[in-house]
Amino acid sequence: MNLTFEEQKMLDGAYGKSVQKSMEILTSLGDIYGAERMIPIKSVHMPGSSIVVAGEAATSFVEQMGENGTEFAAYTTLNTGAMDMDCPRELGFSEETIARQKRLTGAYGRMGGVPCHTCTPYLIGHCPKFGEHVAWGESSAIAFVNSVIGARTNREGGPAALAAAIAGRVPAYGYHLDENRRGQFLIHVETALSDIAGYGALGYWVGTRVESGVPVFTGIPADVTTDQLKALGAALASSGAVALFHIVGVTPEAPTLEAAFGGASPKEVWHVGRAELQTAFQTLSKQQGQPVSLVALGCPHSSLSEIMQVASMVEGKRVKTAFWMLCAQPVKYLAERSGHKKILEDAGVTLVCDTCPVLGAMAEPMEKTGMTAMATNSAKLAHYAPGQWKIPTYYGTTEQCVNAALKGVFA
Ligand code: F3S
């Protein structure tokens, strides 16, 4: 790689061991992927912020990198953690788990990491500008920031994101370059998608076919909501490994079909109608009419508008199941100020922050509360939960999930 004078000094150790180690990681990555230079970055969203994915060795590595006063060179937020940091004991987490997560969060925090522990940092102020280079982890957030915002990131893993945060740069390859951001697959959506579960089903169906390619959608209305886009991106990144998608007339790099493909032709063309969506729903939720013990919404973490929607559905009622709505702490704070948290709590719905059933140490609260089956409106959660928790998972619209909570049965 061609390094600047400053970057060479960083690599030679002039700024300490952590910066040197970070540059070693980044230049190695650059060599592997054929990068010619480094690019300065504006921000990092840190994967590996939960002890479920960052074990003892990774926690020690983060602690070591933070020794001797190392500070992040780029604004850095922390992804979802293992527990709700405000009330871990109430949800049933053990003292050992609490202590381990606090060690990891503290190590990032000492370097300047913002301990927001959410997968939707873009909903709480970490929102890059179009075209900015960033280094983000967390597949759903990567898909959103690349596609909806038009910032540029690769799918960063834990060590690379940590190195990028410390060095303030990444090697220039992959989605940082124009030529890799062009569409590859054309998807004509030929059915209406109302609820976010419909967008999740669409993403799930397409993700299995395009894998890590760049799909371009037509037929999605211009008034598609932010919540629907985050559901689509999360699902694309779950059944596939999609980091970037375009929607003609909606996302910023696709004002026209031609612009989305950069003038090239699609590799393949798919048509998605009711039958294809039905297939996705059936794959994610094989049975109906089954008892449910947990309803979990907010994967990716809920916006305030999603919380308000559920509050309006449960107001004055009482759910029969455990009901978690996952969100970031600032969103919970707004829900409290707006009165929606009280409505949810009166109905038996808990706003759970900082964590989720996939990246959380949820075995502990799940075992303590005897949870046996889950319903969700998230294709990502429905994809991962059955394998992780070995419990049946039912996938449906927000209305179906709320009804499941009220009746104790998914139908
Ligand atoms: Fe977020 Fe956890 Fe879902 S990190 S996207 S709530 S699996």
Side-chain angles (χ1 to χ4, degrees):
M1 291 184 70
N2 299 314
L3 299 183
T4 63
F5 179 69
E6 182 71 3
E7 288 163 353
Q8 191 61 54
K9 277 175 65 182
M10 294 165 75
L11 183 60
D12 291 342
Y15 298 102
K17 283 204 166 64
S18 296
V19 173
Q20 183 179 33
K21 182 77 188 159
S22 298
M23 286 300 284
E24 286 171 0
I25 292 170
L26 296 169
T27 51
S28 297
L29 269 176
D31 288 340
I32 290 168
Y33 290 104
E36 294 178 353
R37 62 189 170 92
M38 292 283 180
I39 306 178
I41 52 165
K42 289 288 184 185
S43 74
V44 174
H45 186 59
M46 189 68 70
S49 298
S50 163
I51 56 166
V52 170
V53 288
E56 179 54 38
T59 302
S60 297
F61 181 69
V62 175
E63 287 176 326
Q64 283 165 19
M65 292 292 268
E67 283 173 1
N68 305 318
T70 301
E71 290 182 1
F72 287 152
Y75 178 71
T76 299
T77 49
L78 302 189
N79 194 39
T80 307
M83 69 196 65
D84 191 316
M85 303 294 275
D86 274 3
C87 52
R89 291 172 188 84
E90 287 167 30
L91 286 170
F93 294 103
S94 70
E95 293 302 324
E96 186 199 343
T97 302
I98 295 168
R100 284 182 55 215
Q101 181 63 58
K102 283 190 172 173
R103 258 181 72 207
L104 182 62
T105 304
Y108 283 127
R110 282 189 290 282
M111 288 184 273
V114 179
C116 55
H117 281 310
T118 181
C119 50
T120 54
Y122 46 87
L123 293 180
I124 59 163
H126 185 178
C127 197
K129 294 202 299 284
F130 175 80
E132 280 184 348
H133 295 277
V134 298
W136 279 32
E138 165 48 40
S139 63
S140 68
I142 292 164
F144 191 94
V145 79
N146 260 333
S147 314
V148 181
I149 295 174
R152 298 182 170 211
T153 185
N154 286 320
R155 292 166 58 93
E156 301 292 1
L162 180 59
I166 292 172
R169 58 230 325 124
V170 291
Y173 70 93
Y175 296 110
H176 291 286
L177 306 178
D178 288 346
E179 59 266 33
N180 298 319
R181 297 183 66 83
R182 293 175 188 139
Q184 296 169 323
F185 298 89
L186 178 55
I187 318 292
H188 293 296
V189 180
E190 296 170 346
T191 184
L193 304 162
S194 49
D195 186 83
I196 64 166
Y199 281 84
L202 170 64
Y204 198 81
W205 192 91
V206 172
T208 56
R209 283 153 183 86
V210 306
E211 299 177 346
S212 60
V214 181
V216 176
F217 294 90
T218 68
I220 292 181
D223 63 355
V224 58
T225 67
T226 301
D227 295 329
Q228 291 164 342
L229 291 170
K230 80 177 163 71
L232 174 63
L236 284 164
S238 301
S239 62
V242 173
L244 170 65
F245 63 89
H246 302 297
I247 304 176
V248 176
V250 174
T251 57
E253 289 165 81
T256 64
L257 192 60
E258 190 180 41
F261 282 98
S265 299
K267 282 186 193 172
E268 285 180 63
V269 181
W270 298 90
H271 296 262
V272 181
R274 287 179 64 84
E276 286 73 21
L277 287 194
Q278 198 58 34
T279 301
F281 270 97
Q282 284 167 353
T283 305
L284 291 164
S285 184
K286 294 187 176 66
Q287 301 174 60
Q288 297 204 340
Q290 300 297 316
V292 165
S293 54
L294 168 66
V295 171
L297 309 183
C299 168
H301 282 177
S302 305
S303 66
L304 185 61
S305 64
E306 289 176 290
I307 288 172
M308 291 165 73
Q309 181 195 10
V310 172
S312 73
M313 295 165 110
V314 299
E315 186 164 15
K317 301 171 185 164
R318 187 78 195 165
V319 299
K320 291 183 176 163
T321 66
F323 194 146
W324 296 344
M325 238 187 136
L326 313 163
C327 66
Q329 290 281 5
V331 175
K332 180 166 98 172
Y333 175 74
L334 287 175
E336 186 164 12
R337 289 191 72 175
S338 65
H340 294 93
K341 178 168 170 276
K342 170 101 174 49
I343 293 170
L344 292 174
E345 286 174 350
D346 288 349
V349 180
T350 307
L351 289 180
V352 177
C353 297
D354 304 317
T355 190
C356 75
V358 174
L359 289 181
M362 290 297 183
E364 292 169 2
M366 280 177 153
E367 276 169 20
K368 282 188 182 159
T369 48
M371 291 170 186
T372 53
M374 179 193 294
T376 183
N377 63 356
S378 163
K380 178 171 181 176
L381 196 48
H383 176 70
Y384 286 114
Q388 191 158 346
W389 304 115
K390 312 288 183 244
I391 60 174
T393 301
Y394 306 107
Y395 178 63
T397 63
T398 304
E399 188 177 12
Q400 276 179 297
C401 291
V402 170
N403 285 338
L406 293 170
K407 293 177 182 153
V409 170
F410 185 85

mmCIF file of all heavy atoms in Angstrom, residues 247-288:
data_model
loop_
_atom_site.group_PDB
_atom_site.id
_atom_site.type_symbol
_atom_site.label_atom_id
_atom_site.label_comp_id
_atom_site.label_asym_id
_atom_site.label_seq_id
_atom_site.Cartn_x
_atom_site.Cartn_y
_atom_site.Cartn_z
ATOM 1 N N ILE A 247 -32.841 1.336 -4.089
ATOM 2 C CA ILE A 247 -34.263 1.343 -4.461
ATOM 3 C C ILE A 247 -34.462 2.512 -5.408
ATOM 4 O O ILE A 247 -34.216 3.680 -5.022
ATOM 5 C CB ILE A 247 -35.177 1.505 -3.224
ATOM 6 C CG1 ILE A 247 -34.899 0.411 -2.191
ATOM 7 C CG2 ILE A 247 -36.647 1.505 -3.653
ATOM 8 C CD1 ILE A 247 -35.687 0.566 -0.897
ATOM 9 N N VAL A 248 -34.865 2.205 -6.608
ATOM 10 C CA VAL A 248 -34.993 3.252 -7.628
ATOM 11 C C VAL A 248 -36.035 4.286 -7.179
ATOM 12 O O VAL A 248 -37.155 3.946 -6.795
ATOM 13 C CB VAL A 248 -35.377 2.645 -8.994
ATOM 14 C CG1 VAL A 248 -35.599 3.754 -10.026
ATOM 15 C CG2 VAL A 248 -34.286 1.685 -9.468
ATOM 16 N N GLY A 249 -35.597 5.549 -7.171
ATOM 17 C CA GLY A 249 -36.480 6.648 -6.776
ATOM 18 C C GLY A 249 -36.562 6.866 -5.280
ATOM 19 O O GLY A 249 -37.291 7.751 -4.828
ATOM 20 N N VAL A 250 -35.795 6.073 -4.507
ATOM 21 C CA VAL A 250 -35.850 6.202 -3.048
ATOM 22 C C VAL A 250 -34.466 6.429 -2.439
ATOM 23 O O VAL A 250 -34.241 7.410 -1.725
ATOM 24 C CB VAL A 250 -36.504 4.947 -2.404
ATOM 25 C CG1 VAL A 250 -36.421 5.027 -0.873
ATOM 26 C CG2 VAL A 250 -37.953 4.800 -2.846
ATOM 27 N N THR A 251 -33.535 5.506 -2.671
ATOM 28 C CA THR A 251 -32.214 5.631 -2.034
ATOM 29 C C THR A 251 -31.314 6.549 -2.870
ATOM 30 O O THR A 251 -31.510 6.688 -4.087
ATOM 31 C CB THR A 251 -31.572 4.241 -1.837
ATOM 32 O OG1 THR A 251 -31.491 3.578 -3.096
ATOM 33 C CG2 THR A 251 -32.374 3.409 -0.859
ATOM 34 N N PRO A 252 -30.325 7.175 -2.230
ATOM 35 C CA PRO A 252 -29.648 8.311 -2.877
ATOM 36 C C PRO A 252 -28.783 7.973 -4.085
ATOM 37 O O PRO A 252 -28.514 8.866 -4.885
ATOM 38 C CB PRO A 252 -28.800 8.899 -1.739
ATOM 39 C CG PRO A 252 -28.645 7.802 -0.755
ATOM 40 C CD PRO A 252 -29.888 6.987 -0.842
ATOM 41 N N GLU A 253 -28.347 6.714 -4.214
ATOM 42 C CA GLU A 253 -27.514 6.388 -5.373
ATOM 43 C C GLU A 253 -28.326 5.769 -6.501
ATOM 44 O O GLU A 253 -27.750 5.221 -7.450
ATOM 45 C CB GLU A 253 -26.372 5.453 -4.931
ATOM 46 C CG GLU A 253 -25.344 6.187 -4.074
ATOM 47 C CD GLU A 253 -24.393 5.277 -3.315
ATOM 48 O OE1 GLU A 253 -23.425 4.813 -3.925
ATOM 49 O OE2 GLU A 253 -24.627 5.043 -2.119
ATOM 50 N N ALA A 254 -29.654 5.855 -6.375
ATOM 51 C CA ALA A 254 -30.508 5.262 -7.407
ATOM 52 C C ALA A 254 -31.618 6.217 -7.846
ATOM 53 O O ALA A 254 -32.806 5.874 -7.786
ATOM 54 C CB ALA A 254 -31.119 3.959 -6.880
ATOM 55 N N PRO A 255 -31.260 7.417 -8.321
ATOM 56 C CA PRO A 255 -32.321 8.299 -8.825
ATOM 57 C C PRO A 255 -33.022 7.686 -10.035
ATOM 58 O O PRO A 255 -34.205 7.936 -10.271
ATOM 59 C CB PRO A 255 -31.567 9.586 -9.190
ATOM 60 C CG PRO A 255 -30.138 9.155 -9.381
ATOM 61 C CD PRO A 255 -29.931 8.020 -8.432
ATOM 62 N N THR A 256 -32.281 6.878 -10.810
ATOM 63 C CA THR A 256 -32.848 6.167 -11.962
ATOM 64 C C THR A 256 -32.290 4.747 -11.971
ATOM 65 O O THR A 256 -31.283 4.455 -11.322
ATOM 66 C CB THR A 256 -32.443 6.830 -13.289
ATOM 67 O OG1 THR A 256 -31.008 6.727 -13.416
ATOM 68 C CG2 THR A 256 -32.873 8.285 -13.349
ATOM 69 N N LEU A 257 -32.935 3.887 -12.752
ATOM 70 C CA LEU A 257 -32.455 2.507 -12.881
ATOM 71 C C LEU A 257 -31.045 2.493 -13.464
ATOM 72 O O LEU A 257 -30.167 1.760 -12.998
ATOM 73 C CB LEU A 257 -33.417 1.737 -13.787
ATOM 74 C CG LEU A 257 -33.272 0.225 -13.834
ATOM 75 C CD1 LEU A 257 -33.476 -0.396 -12.467
ATOM 76 C CD2 LEU A 257 -34.274 -0.365 -14.833
ATOM 77 N N GLU A 258 -30.816 3.334 -14.449
ATOM 78 C CA GLU A 258 -29.506 3.380 -15.099
ATOM 79 C C GLU A 258 -28.422 3.800 -14.112
ATOM 80 O O GLU A 258 -27.328 3.225 -14.065
ATOM 81 C CB GLU A 258 -29.553 4.354 -16.281
ATOM 82 C CG GLU A 258 -28.314 4.268 -17.131
ATOM 83 C CD GLU A 258 -28.379 5.235 -18.307
ATOM 84 O OE1 GLU A 258 -28.827 6.371 -18.116
ATOM 85 O OE2 GLU A 258 -27.950 4.831 -19.394
ATOM 86 N N ALA A 259 -28.738 4.795 -13.273
ATOM 87 C CA ALA A 259 -27.756 5.261 -12.289
ATOM 88 C C ALA A 259 -27.450 4.153 -11.287
ATOM 89 O O ALA A 259 -26.297 3.965 -10.876
ATOM 90 C CB ALA A 259 -28.295 6.493 -11.564
ATOM 91 N N ALA A 260 -28.482 3.397 -10.888
ATOM 92 C CA ALA A 260 -28.277 2.341 -9.894
ATOM 93 C C ALA A 260 -27.310 1.275 -10.405
ATOM 94 O O ALA A 260 -26.531 0.702 -9.639
ATOM 95 C CB ALA A 260 -29.619 1.703 -9.527
ATOM 96 N N PHE A 261 -27.357 0.990 -11.710
ATOM 97 C CA PHE A 261 -26.472 -0.042 -12.281
ATOM 98 C C PHE A 261 -25.210 0.570 -12.901
ATOM 99 O O PHE A 261 -24.391 -0.163 -13.475
ATOM 100 C CB PHE A 261 -27.230 -0.857 -13.340
ATOM 101 C CG PHE A 261 -28.152 -1.885 -12.732
ATOM 102 C CD1 PHE A 261 -29.500 -1.631 -12.591
ATOM 103 C CD2 PHE A 261 -27.648 -3.100 -12.285
ATOM 104 C CE1 PHE A 261 -30.344 -2.569 -12.023
ATOM 105 C CE2 PHE A 261 -28.483 -4.049 -11.705
ATOM 106 C CZ PHE A 261 -29.833 -3.784 -11.573
ATOM 107 N N GLY A 262 -25.069 1.872 -12.816
ATOM 108 C CA GLY A 262 -23.896 2.510 -13.410
ATOM 109 C C GLY A 262 -23.807 2.270 -14.902
ATOM 110 O O GLY A 262 -22.712 2.191 -15.472
ATOM 111 N N GLY A 263 -24.957 2.119 -15.534
ATOM 112 C CA GLY A 263 -24.987 1.909 -16.977
ATOM 113 C C GLY A 263 -24.816 0.461 -17.402
ATOM 114 O O GLY A 263 -24.970 0.135 -18.581
ATOM 115 N N ALA A 264 -24.495 -0.440 -16.459
ATOM 116 C CA ALA A 264 -24.307 -1.858 -16.807
ATOM 117 C C ALA A 264 -25.658 -2.589 -16.773
ATOM 118 O O ALA A 264 -26.671 -2.044 -16.346
ATOM 119 C CB ALA A 264 -23.343 -2.503 -15.826
ATOM 120 N N SER A 265 -25.642 -3.848 -17.208
ATOM 121 C CA SER A 265 -26.859 -4.659 -17.186
ATOM 122 C C SER A 265 -26.865 -5.544 -15.946
ATOM 123 O O SER A 265 -25.803 -5.973 -15.478
ATOM 124 C CB SER A 265 -26.919 -5.563 -18.425
ATOM 125 O OG SER A 265 -26.931 -4.778 -19.580
ATOM 126 N N PRO A 266 -28.063 -5.857 -15.420
ATOM 127 C CA PRO A 266 -28.111 -6.740 -14.251
ATOM 128 C C PRO A 266 -27.666 -8.156 -14.605
ATOM 129 O O PRO A 266 -27.898 -8.622 -15.718
ATOM 130 C CB PRO A 266 -29.590 -6.709 -13.842
ATOM 131 C CG PRO A 266 -30.324 -6.162 -15.008
ATOM 132 C CD PRO A 266 -29.378 -5.345 -15.814
ATOM 133 N N LYS A 267 -27.050 -8.822 -13.619
ATOM 134 C CA LYS A 267 -26.662 -10.224 -13.798
ATOM 135 C C LYS A 267 -27.889 -11.118 -13.899
ATOM 136 O O LYS A 267 -27.921 -12.086 -14.639
ATOM 137 C CB LYS A 267 -25.874 -10.706 -12.578
ATOM 138 C CG LYS A 267 -24.451 -10.281 -12.504
ATOM 139 C CD LYS A 267 -23.838 -11.000 -11.280
ATOM 140 C CE LYS A 267 -22.502 -10.419 -10.910
ATOM 141 N NZ LYS A 267 -22.015 -10.976 -9.642
ATOM 142 N N GLU A 268 -28.887 -10.809 -13.074
ATOM 143 C CA GLU A 268 -30.127 -11.594 -13.056
ATOM 144 C C GLU A 268 -31.279 -10.666 -12.733
ATOM 145 O O GLU A 268 -31.092 -9.626 -12.092
ATOM 146 C CB GLU A 268 -30.066 -12.693 -11.990
ATOM 147 C CG GLU A 268 -29.192 -13.873 -12.364
ATOM 148 C CD GLU A 268 -29.175 -14.913 -11.249
ATOM 149 O OE1 GLU A 268 -30.248 -15.471 -10.949
ATOM 150 O OE2 GLU A 268 -28.099 -15.150 -10.690
ATOM 151 N N VAL A 269 -32.478 -11.067 -13.149
ATOM 152 C CA VAL A 269 -33.691 -10.288 -12.876
ATOM 153 C C VAL A 269 -34.671 -11.198 -12.146
ATOM 154 O O VAL A 269 -34.908 -12.340 -12.575
ATOM 155 C CB VAL A 269 -34.328 -9.764 -14.182
ATOM 156 C CG1 VAL A 269 -35.581 -8.942 -13.861
ATOM 157 C CG2 VAL A 269 -33.327 -8.925 -14.978
ATOM 158 N N TRP A 270 -35.240 -10.702 -11.041
ATOM 159 C CA TRP A 270 -36.216 -11.479 -10.278
ATOM 160 C C TRP A 270 -37.511 -10.684 -10.171
ATOM 161 O O TRP A 270 -37.504 -9.460 -10.102
ATOM 162 C CB TRP A 270 -35.698 -11.757 -8.859
ATOM 163 C CG TRP A 270 -34.436 -12.559 -8.805
ATOM 164 C CD1 TRP A 270 -33.156 -12.071 -8.803
ATOM 165 C CD2 TRP A 270 -34.327 -13.977 -8.757
ATOM 166 N NE1 TRP A 270 -32.258 -13.096 -8.753
ATOM 167 C CE2 TRP A 270 -32.942 -14.274 -8.713
ATOM 168 C CE3 TRP A 270 -35.246 -15.028 -8.745
ATOM 169 C CZ2 TRP A 270 -32.459 -15.580 -8.660
ATOM 170 C CZ3 TRP A 270 -34.771 -16.309 -8.682
ATOM 171 C CH2 TRP A 270 -33.396 -16.590 -8.644
ATOM 172 N N HIS A 271 -38.613 -11.403 -10.097
ATOM 173 C CA HIS A 271 -39.921 -10.790 -9.873
ATOM 174 C C HIS A 271 -40.454 -11.317 -8.547
ATOM 175 O O HIS A 271 -40.486 -12.538 -8.344
ATOM 176 C CB HIS A 271 -40.888 -11.140 -11.010
ATOM 177 C CG HIS A 271 -40.453 -10.590 -12.343
ATOM 178 N ND1 HIS A 271 -40.967 -9.418 -12.865
ATOM 179 C CD2 HIS A 271 -39.524 -11.035 -13.227
ATOM 180 C CE1 HIS A 271 -40.375 -9.172 -14.027
ATOM 181 N NE2 HIS A 271 -39.498 -10.138 -14.266
ATOM 182 N N VAL A 272 -40.855 -10.412 -7.670
ATOM 183 C CA VAL A 272 -41.351 -10.832 -6.352
ATOM 184 C C VAL A 272 -42.814 -10.419 -6.231
ATOM 185 O O VAL A 272 -43.137 -9.226 -6.250
ATOM 186 C CB VAL A 272 -40.527 -10.202 -5.208
ATOM 187 C CG1 VAL A 272 -41.062 -10.676 -3.857
ATOM 188 C CG2 VAL A 272 -39.053 -10.562 -5.358
ATOM 189 N N GLY A 273 -43.678 -11.421 -6.107
ATOM 190 C CA GLY A 273 -45.107 -11.176 -5.924
ATOM 191 C C GLY A 273 -45.574 -11.807 -4.617
ATOM 192 O O GLY A 273 -44.769 -12.148 -3.745
ATOM 193 N N ARG A 274 -46.886 -12.001 -4.528
ATOM 194 C CA ARG A 274 -47.462 -12.538 -3.280
ATOM 195 C C ARG A 274 -46.924 -13.929 -2.968
ATOM 196 O O ARG A 274 -46.657 -14.258 -1.805
ATOM 197 C CB ARG A 274 -48.992 -12.590 -3.401
ATOM 198 C CG ARG A 274 -49.641 -11.230 -3.341
ATOM 199 C CD ARG A 274 -51.152 -11.353 -3.493
ATOM 200 N NE ARG A 274 -51.759 -12.092 -2.396
ATOM 201 C CZ ARG A 274 -52.102 -11.554 -1.244
ATOM 202 N NH1 ARG A 274 -51.893 -10.272 -1.035
ATOM 203 N NH2 ARG A 274 -52.664 -12.274 -0.292
ATOM 204 N N ALA A 275 -46.759 -14.753 -3.990
ATOM 205 C CA ALA A 275 -46.320 -16.130 -3.759
ATOM 206 C C ALA A 275 -44.917 -16.165 -3.151
ATOM 207 O O ALA A 275 -44.641 -16.947 -2.223
ATOM 208 C CB ALA A 275 -46.331 -16.915 -5.076
ATOM 209 N N GLU A 276 -44.030 -15.302 -3.642
ATOM 210 C CA GLU A 276 -42.656 -15.293 -3.130
ATOM 211 C C GLU A 276 -42.640 -14.820 -1.668
ATOM 212 O O GLU A 276 -41.923 -15.375 -0.832
ATOM 213 C CB GLU A 276 -41.771 -14.382 -3.995
ATOM 214 C CG GLU A 276 -41.406 -14.956 -5.356
ATOM 215 C CD GLU A 276 -42.559 -14.965 -6.345
ATOM 216 O OE1 GLU A 276 -43.520 -14.183 -6.150
ATOM 217 O OE2 GLU A 276 -42.504 -15.751 -7.306
ATOM 218 N N LEU A 277 -43.442 -13.786 -1.389
ATOM 219 C CA LEU A 277 -43.499 -13.306 -0.001
ATOM 220 C C LEU A 277 -44.059 -14.384 0.921
ATOM 221 O O LEU A 277 -43.590 -14.581 2.042
ATOM 222 C CB LEU A 277 -44.369 -12.051 0.108
ATOM 223 C CG LEU A 277 -43.790 -10.744 -0.436
ATOM 224 C CD1 LEU A 277 -44.623 -9.575 0.053
ATOM 225 C CD2 LEU A 277 -42.340 -10.552 -0.034
ATOM 226 N N GLN A 278 -45.068 -15.085 0.422
ATOM 227 C CA GLN A 278 -45.676 -16.159 1.218
ATOM 228 C C GLN A 278 -44.639 -17.231 1.539
ATOM 229 O O GLN A 278 -44.591 -17.754 2.661
ATOM 230 C CB GLN A 278 -46.843 -16.762 0.430
ATOM 231 C CG GLN A 278 -47.833 -17.564 1.264
ATOM 232 C CD GLN A 278 -48.446 -16.731 2.387
ATOM 233 O OE1 GLN A 278 -48.657 -15.527 2.226
ATOM 234 N NE2 GLN A 278 -48.690 -17.365 3.516
ATOM 235 N N THR A 279 -43.806 -17.527 0.579
ATOM 236 C CA THR A 279 -42.736 -18.515 0.804
ATOM 237 C C THR A 279 -41.831 -18.066 1.940
ATOM 238 O O THR A 279 -41.453 -18.849 2.828
ATOM 239 C CB THR A 279 -41.902 -18.685 -0.481
ATOM 240 O OG1 THR A 279 -42.762 -19.120 -1.520
ATOM 241 C CG2 THR A 279 -40.775 -19.691 -0.293
ATOM 242 N N ALA A 280 -41.474 -16.777 1.921
ATOM 243 C CA ALA A 280 -40.593 -16.255 2.978
ATOM 244 C C ALA A 280 -41.287 -16.333 4.337
ATOM 245 O O ALA A 280 -40.682 -16.755 5.327
ATOM 246 C CB ALA A 280 -40.191 -14.819 2.657
ATOM 247 N N PHE A 281 -42.562 -15.944 4.389
ATOM 248 C CA PHE A 281 -43.302 -16.016 5.664
ATOM 249 C C PHE A 281 -43.328 -17.454 6.181
ATOM 250 O O PHE A 281 -43.131 -17.708 7.372
ATOM 251 C CB PHE A 281 -44.731 -15.491 5.488
ATOM 252 C CG PHE A 281 -44.866 -14.007 5.736
ATOM 253 C CD1 PHE A 281 -44.849 -13.110 4.695
ATOM 254 C CD2 PHE A 281 -45.015 -13.513 7.022
ATOM 255 C CE1 PHE A 281 -44.970 -11.740 4.909
ATOM 256 C CE2 PHE A 281 -45.134 -12.153 7.265
ATOM 257 C CZ PHE A 281 -45.114 -11.260 6.208
ATOM 258 N N GLN A 282 -43.568 -18.397 5.270
ATOM 259 C CA GLN A 282 -43.668 -19.803 5.702
ATOM 260 C C GLN A 282 -42.320 -20.358 6.147
ATOM 261 O O GLN A 282 -42.251 -21.171 7.064
ATOM 262 C CB GLN A 282 -44.250 -20.652 4.574
ATOM 263 C CG GLN A 282 -45.752 -20.442 4.440
ATOM 264 C CD GLN A 282 -46.324 -21.007 3.147
ATOM 265 O OE1 GLN A 282 -45.596 -21.456 2.275
ATOM 266 N NE2 GLN A 282 -47.644 -20.958 3.037
ATOM 267 N N THR A 283 -41.246 -19.905 5.509
ATOM 268 C CA THR A 283 -39.908 -20.355 5.924
ATOM 269 C C THR A 283 -39.588 -19.867 7.332
ATOM 270 O O THR A 283 -39.005 -20.587 8.143
ATOM 271 C CB THR A 283 -38.839 -19.816 4.948
ATOM 272 O OG1 THR A 283 -39.187 -20.222 3.630
ATOM 273 C CG2 THR A 283 -37.452 -20.330 5.305
ATOM 274 N N LEU A 284 -39.997 -18.635 7.611
ATOM 275 C CA LEU A 284 -39.660 -18.040 8.910
ATOM 276 C C LEU A 284 -40.637 -18.428 10.005
ATOM 277 O O LEU A 284 -40.344 -18.268 11.192
ATOM 278 C CB LEU A 284 -39.619 -16.511 8.775
ATOM 279 C CG LEU A 284 -38.448 -15.983 7.941
ATOM 280 C CD1 LEU A 284 -38.687 -14.536 7.540
ATOM 281 C CD2 LEU A 284 -37.153 -16.112 8.729
ATOM 282 N N SER A 285 -41.806 -18.905 9.643
ATOM 283 C CA SER A 285 -42.846 -19.185 10.636
ATOM 284 C C SER A 285 -43.669 -20.355 10.131
ATOM 285 O O SER A 285 -44.650 -20.178 9.427
ATOM 286 C CB SER A 285 -43.724 -17.946 10.813
ATOM 287 O OG SER A 285 -44.676 -18.152 11.824
ATOM 288 N N LYS A 286 -43.253 -21.557 10.504
ATOM 289 C CA LYS A 286 -43.833 -22.735 9.868
ATOM 290 C C LYS A 286 -45.234 -23.084 10.356
ATOM 291 O O LYS A 286 -45.987 -23.728 9.665
ATOM 292 C CB LYS A 286 -42.899 -23.926 10.060
ATOM 293 C CG LYS A 286 -41.580 -23.747 9.312
ATOM 294 C CD LYS A 286 -40.733 -24.986 9.362
ATOM 295 C CE LYS A 286 -39.475 -24.819 8.534
ATOM 296 N NZ LYS A 286 -38.567 -23.812 9.055
ATOM 297 N N GLN A 287 -45.573 -22.677 11.582
ATOM 298 C CA GLN A 287 -46.865 -23.107 12.137
ATOM 299 C C GLN A 287 -47.670 -21.917 12.628
ATOM 300 O O GLN A 287 -47.115 -20.876 12.958
ATOM 301 C CB GLN A 287 -46.640 -24.042 13.322
ATOM 302 C CG GLN A 287 -45.857 -25.291 12.984
ATOM 303 C CD GLN A 287 -45.551 -26.070 14.244
ATOM 304 O OE1 GLN A 287 -46.457 -26.487 14.952
ATOM 305 N NE2 GLN A 287 -44.283 -26.246 14.526
ATOM 306 N N GLN A 288 -48.961 -22.121 12.730
ATOM 307 C CA GLN A 288 -49.827 -21.114 13.345
ATOM 308 C C GLN A 288 -50.692 -21.804 14.391
ATOM 309 O O GLN A 288 -50.708 -23.021 14.503
ATOM 310 C CB GLN A 288 -50.703 -20.448 12.302
ATOM 311 C CG GLN A 288 -49.867 -19.686 11.267
ATOM 312 C CD GLN A 288 -50.627 -18.580 10.595
ATOM 313 O OE1 GLN A 288 -51.843 -18.581 10.597
ATOM 314 N NE2 GLN A 288 -49.922 -17.641 10.021
#
